[in-house]
Amino acid sequence: MADSEFKLLFGRRSLVLGSGSPRRVALLTDMGISFTQIIPNVEEKLRPREEPFSYAQRLAKTKARWVIQRADPQQIVLGCDTIVVLDGLILGKPSNEREAYETLTTLSGRQHVVCTAAALADGVGLMTSGYETTKVYFNDVSREQIEEYIASGEPMDKAGAYGIQGMGAFLVDRIEGNLDNVIGLPRDLLNKLAERVNRIS
């Protein structure tokens, strides 16, 4: 899908990426979008009885609001959050190699869902938000393969302990949905959000 609405919006408004993700930086750069970056500092904690996809969308909105308070109010902030969900449970970023091993072992040979939420906000307030999901099917992987992958260091800063766009590609058999959503910046969703903003501004 073309990024026409997104590019139209940020051809006339200045974008701030409210994320520290190098994957999101690379994807925006590939799209030819100019932006600055402010890394949000917000609590990422699931509330009681909160559904995973709602949690991701809440965090995206919270990050966007946090960043816009530290940016020019005329700018538009893009806040994002990506989660990996298996059997209704969120698998976050591993805090150590043992957690990375446990996560990857659990995902081996199974299907999980990657959800990326995005939100746009400016100095007036939240403009719009949404999320996209992609089903990811893992190959059966051996203990040796998992340990070798963990030794590379790649899993340690990623939800679900893997990066589909990097060395972790061998883990994945197939996906149902958009690859850029798994990487962490769903272009179709961004285009839809930008279209909503373009209609009202």
Side-chain angles (χ1 to χ4, degrees), residues 1-7 27-28 31 78 116-118 120 128-134 176-182 184-196 198-199:
M1 181 178 179
D3 307 310
S4 56
E5 293 285 347
F6 194 73
K7 289 181 177 178
L27 285 169
L28 280 176
M31 292 166 67
L78 169 62
T116 295
L120 297 176
T128 184
S129 66
Y131 65 84
E132 185 175 315
T133 61
T134 300
E176 292 179 7
N178 291 323
L179 176 61
D180 55 15
N181 185 55
V182 183
L185 197 71
R187 294 189 181 195
D188 281 0
L189 174 61
L190 295 183
N191 209 42
K192 291 173 184 175
L193 298 182
E195 182 180 15
R196 295 175 194 168
N198 285 331
R199 285 202 304 264

Side-chain angles (χ1 to χ4, degrees), residues 45-57:
K45 185 177 181 181
L46 191 69
R47 293 172 177 170
R49 296 180 296 280
E50 188 173 27
E51 294 295 324
F53 301 159
S54 298
Y55 164 74
Q57 190 166 347

Side-chain angles (χ1 to χ4, degrees), residues 59-173:
L59 281 187
K61 292 189 287 188
T62 300
K63 291 174 181 179
R65 289 181 176 123
W66 189 95
V67 171
I68 196 59
Q69 293 175 5
R70 293 154 180 85
D72 185 322
Q74 298 302 313
Q75 295 177 306
I76 296 179
V77 172
L78 169 62
C80 302
D81 192 71
T82 299
I83 58 172
V84 170
V85 182
L86 178 68
D87 295 336
L89 298 176
I90 297 172
L91 302 180
K93 298 176 183 178
S95 58
N96 52 51
E97 292 187 353
R98 178 184 58 79
E99 285 189 7
Y101 180 83
E102 291 175 353
T103 296
L104 292 170
T105 300
T106 301
L107 291 174
S108 177
R110 303 182 68 187
Q111 175 251 309
H112 62 274
V113 175
V114 176
C115 171
T116 295
L120 297 176
D122 67 4
V124 177
L126 180 71
M127 305 175 85
T128 184
S129 66
Y131 65 84
E132 185 175 315
T133 61
T134 300
K135 291 181 179 179
V136 180
Y137 295 81
F138 257 35
N139 292 309
D140 287 307
V141 287
S142 67
R143 175 175 180 174
E144 291 75 18
Q145 287 176 304
I146 292 174
E147 290 176 343
E148 182 177 347
Y149 180 51
I150 292 172
S152 74
E154 185 176 88
M156 301 313 297
D157 68 337
K158 295 174 178 61
Y162 75 97
I164 195 172
Q165 76 284 3
M167 290 178 285
F170 79 95
L171 297 163
V172 178
D173 174 38

Side-chain angles (χ1 to χ4, degrees), residues 11-31:
R12 57 189 180 83
R13 298 284 296 271
S14 176
L15 172 65
V16 180
L17 174 62
S19 170
S21 165
R23 279 81 60 191
R24 294 187 181 118
V25 168
L27 285 169
L28 280 176
T29 301
D30 288 346
M31 292 166 67

